[in-house]
Amino acid sequence: METRFGETRVGNVSAGWNHLPEIGSTQIRDARGARIQTASGEWRDDYIMGWGSCFLGHDSAIIKDSIARSISGGFLQQYETEEHQRLSERFCAVVPCAEKLRLVNSGLEATMYATRVARAVTGRRMILKFEGHFHGLNDTLTWNVDSSARSGIRQASGELERMAGTVGIPRELGLLTIPVAWNDLDAVQRIFELYPDDLAGVILEPIALNLGCIRPDDGFLESLRAIATKYGALLIFDEVLTGFRANIGGAQAQLGVVPDIATFGKAFGCGMPIAGIAGRAEFMDVIAPRGPVQISGTNTGRYLAVAAASAVIEHLERSDAFQYVAAMEEALRKNLDSIFVKHGIPCHIDGYGGRIGVHMGSSVRPRSMRDIEKTYPIGFARKLFHLLSTEYGLYGFLMPLMYCPEPITLSAAHTSNMIGNACDRLDSALNRLDYHAD
């Protein structure tokens, strides 16, 4: 498309994450299933899938049909309807912690409001979070994340040096958040002992997908549950990435630990802009109009998005999408493992819900962001990603972030042939590169 204007989108992207490392932005003309077509007409296999949101593919018939049904009426309104009631009932019936649901527009809003609820319920100020866990770009939680300059140095108390994840956040806001290393139970216990009357809650990804899929140690979540209960703090699961990807009830259903509040997004709407906060009624009822906490917005609960999310939950309950994606994930993990062994590249691979973290540099399971930072060969990972992106027709496959891997993202639209082809291309690309640790 020719234009008489210069750059009118900042960096030629509407969202910063669309500017991928090493390759920049790619103009998309079309998207079907798990493939995208570039402006030049080339089709590429997509392994980002809307950053995990397009679980049913880019052109899901489920979403299409819900939109088609919706546009017969006043589909732009966001007032309360039977569809809103139907969605909340379906949601609360399948998610263990969900006695009540409040809709929002994004994962960022969901986590921001979840911590607001925790502060309102407890009358306390501080939130404990884990390094590398990403909860959206809100000012009090964008600390010690993968966009920080480095991992934080551990202090004697167990808390980590606060490292902002972006410029523009006053350092004073960081004082409201206490970062600790993932899986560091001693640090959690010590922080609660130091601040027993000032910790409102603990927020975490139950499986750290933003770190490239790092699971909690055995018993870690159960211990967090017990500690939070003992000290009267709320346990908040950020299920924006894990929700509706491996099972209908989220990671909390699979792991058997029920939080007080949980946040959802991405696969909740399977590409439509919707997110939610759910939790026990006694905590959710601090939200207006039941209580004094304000959580609302002009675009919250638009009928199109609500109808789509309701259709998604209904479909996921009765389809074999979760089983299909799990089978694709297992096949890809096995193929990747054999390829890295063949090329003598140490690697730890894990996945959840079709999101697969490939931790090159060590075959030992990392337990924290600092572990990854020490071993991940970022220079080699960037060269490999550039080659796979520019010469092998793969979009987002094995993408490196600052110093950890972005998970490969599968969907119900990926096929065994696509996975086989991706592995063949990876094998070929590795034949052209000499592995080196940084």
Side-chain angles (χ1 to χ4, degrees):
M1 179 183 70
E2 293 185 2
T3 175
R4 63 185 179 87
F5 298 103
E7 181 180 303
T8 53
R9 293 168 294 164
V10 178
N12 286 318
V13 291
S14 298
W17 293 338
N18 288 337
H19 189 277
L20 303 187
E22 303 305 307
I23 63 171
S25 63
T26 300
Q27 196 83 2
I28 304 302
R29 176 186 295 174
D30 197 1
R32 304 290 176 92
R35 308 196 76 206
I36 58 172
Q37 186 184 35
T38 67
S40 65
E42 175 193 5
W43 283 93
R44 298 182 184 178
D45 296 346
D46 185 8
Y47 289 95
I48 296 177
M49 298 305 296
W51 304 102
S53 63
C54 297
F55 183 69
L56 297 177
H58 287 300
D59 58 346
S60 165
I62 306 302
I63 304 295
K64 282 183 180 179
D65 290 346
S66 74
I67 292 174
R69 291 191 298 270
S70 299
I71 60 176
S72 62
F75 61 92
L76 290 180
Q77 56 86 10
Q78 86 289 8
Y79 306 127
E80 304 304 316
T81 68
E82 290 181 354
E83 197 66 67
H84 289 72
Q85 178 66 21
R86 190 176 298 116
L87 172 60
S88 65
E89 289 176 353
R90 283 177 172 160
F91 189 101
C92 291
V94 298
V95 175
C97 79
E99 294 178 354
K100 293 191 177 183
L101 170 71
R102 172 56 59 91
L103 295 179
V104 291
N105 295 305
S106 67
L108 183 157
E109 288 186 14
T111 57
M112 177 180 71
Y113 287 135
T115 55
R116 180 181 296 178
V117 167
R119 291 182 170 113
V121 167
T122 63
R124 303 171 183 174
R125 300 179 306 149
M126 303 178 79
I127 300 292
L128 187 148
K129 78 172 292 284
F130 293 94
E131 186 168 56
H133 292 217
F134 180 72
H135 307 296
L137 293 170
N138 70 68
D139 286 359
T140 60
L141 293 176
T142 309
W143 296 85
N144 298 76
V145 293
D146 64 79
S147 59
S148 300
R150 55 175 172 79
S151 58
I153 298 171
R154 193 180 194 273
Q155 310 298 308
S157 63
E159 64 187 279
L160 299 175
E161 171 192 14
R162 289 168 175 80
M163 302 294 297
T166 178
V167 173
I169 301 178
R171 188 158 185 81
E172 290 80 1
L173 287 177
L175 300 178
L176 296 174
T177 302
I178 302 177
V180 299
W182 182 224
N183 285 311
D184 190 345
L185 188 59
D186 289 341
V188 173
Q189 183 64 55
R190 178 64 175 146
I191 295 303
F192 270 97
E193 290 170 356
L194 286 172
Y195 307 102
D197 300 318
D198 212 5
L199 274 169
V202 182
I203 189 168
L204 64 141
E205 299 175 58
I207 297 173
L209 286 174
N210 274 298
L211 278 174
C213 193
I214 302 300
R215 295 176 184 269
D217 289 347
D218 290 344
F220 185 73
L221 296 184
E222 291 84 353
S223 296
L224 291 183
R225 173 69 280 175
I227 292 170
T229 300
K230 175 182 177 181
Y231 285 92
L234 270 60
L235 183 64
I236 305 168
F237 278 8
D238 180 349
E239 295 230 42
V240 169
L241 288 178
T242 53
F244 300 104
R245 288 204 62 92
N247 62 73
I248 196 66
Q252 58 189 272
Q254 183 170 333
L255 299 174
V257 178
V258 180
D260 298 307
I261 298 176
T263 60
F264 291 80
K266 294 192 186 290
F268 177 23
C270 280
M272 294 295 282
I274 191 169
I277 312 159
R280 291 166 53 184
E282 63 180 294
F283 302 137
M284 296 297 290
D285 279 348
V286 302
I287 300 172
R290 291 289 181 202
V293 175
Q294 295 298 316
I295 298 179
S296 193
T298 300
N299 291 309
T300 301
R302 291 286 180 188
Y303 186 79
L304 272 179
V306 168
S310 184
V312 164
I313 294 178
E314 182 183 16
H315 172 73
L316 292 177
E317 280 191 285
R318 57 180 171 80
S319 76
D320 64 351
F322 295 130
Q323 294 88 336
Y324 178 83
V325 170
M328 293 294 102
E329 177 190 314
E330 182 179 7
L332 181 53
R333 286 172 61 181
K334 287 181 178 178
N335 284 341
L336 290 173
D337 185 66
S338 64
I339 290 169
F340 284 109
V341 169
K342 171 185 173 182
H343 289 275
I345 299 175
C347 194
H348 173 81
I349 303 173
D350 200 357
Y352 181 84
R355 303 205 82 193
I356 302 169
V358 181
H359 293 274
M360 293 181 286
S362 174
S363 58
V364 178
R365 166 186 169 261
R367 298 178 61 247
S368 67
M369 191 165 87
R370 179 171 287 276
D371 287 348
I372 300 168
E373 185 181 21
K374 288 178 180 178
T375 59
Y376 188 60
I378 186 64
F380 175 79
R382 288 172 176 165
K383 292 177 183 177
L384 177 59
F385 179 67
H386 183 269
L387 189 59
L388 291 171
S389 301
T390 58
E391 298 190 35
Y392 287 93
L394 299 176
Y395 188 71
F397 194 83
L398 292 178
M399 180 167 62
L401 301 177
M402 288 284 285
Y403 36 74
C404 67
E406 169 72 16
I408 297 169
T409 301
L410 301 179
S411 72
H414 282 86
T415 66
S416 56
N417 283 338
M418 293 175 71
I419 287 173
N421 288 335
C423 290
D424 289 342
R425 295 171 193 179
L426 172 61
D427 186 33
S428 176
L430 288 174
N431 283 327
R432 298 170 58 184
L433 293 176
D434 292 325
Y435 172 72
H436 58 87
D438 292 348

